[in-house]
Amino acid sequence: MDFRELLKARRSVREFEAKDVPLPLIKEIIADACEAPNGGNRQPWAFIVITNKDLIKRCSDESKMNILLEIDRYPTSTLAGY
């Protein structure tokens, strides 16, 4: 697939199946992502893989709350688009 085909085929997934992703696949995806270009070729990678669904929900809820607080404090924040 050439780059133009890749651009046309890309998509944003908003709904997911409630299936666990095998850890070897997660590690492979992270390894592939580390090959992507980055600023200054510094590779400052650090990853935390969370598989506990309750903790994922807590992190998501906390993030949403922080976004809303940011928008309340700074209505012109770029986060307002979310």
Side-chain angles (χ1 to χ4, degrees), residues 2-53:
D2 70 16
F3 186 67
R4 186 171 296 274
E5 290 173 313
L6 177 67
L7 288 176
K8 289 179 180 179
R10 72 179 182 80
R11 59 194 166 93
S12 296
V13 177
R14 301 280 190 256
E15 294 183 30
F16 303 92
E17 295 180 15
K19 292 177 14 180
D20 291 339
V21 178
L23 188 56
L25 179 57
I26 293 171
K27 289 180 177 182
E28 182 180 335
I29 291 167
I30 290 172
D32 289 345
C34 288
E35 296 298 322
N38 60 83
N41 199 29
R42 289 187 236 163
Q43 290 87 7
W45 312 122
F47 298 92
I48 298 172
V49 176
I50 302 172
T51 58
N52 178 290
K53 290 183 183 2

Side-chain angles (χ1 to χ4, degrees), residues 67-82:
I67 288 172
L68 293 174
L69 287 172
E70 172 80 8
I71 293 168
D72 283 345
R73 281 189 216 139
Y74 308 102
T76 59
S77 167
T78 56
L79 292 176
Y82 295 101

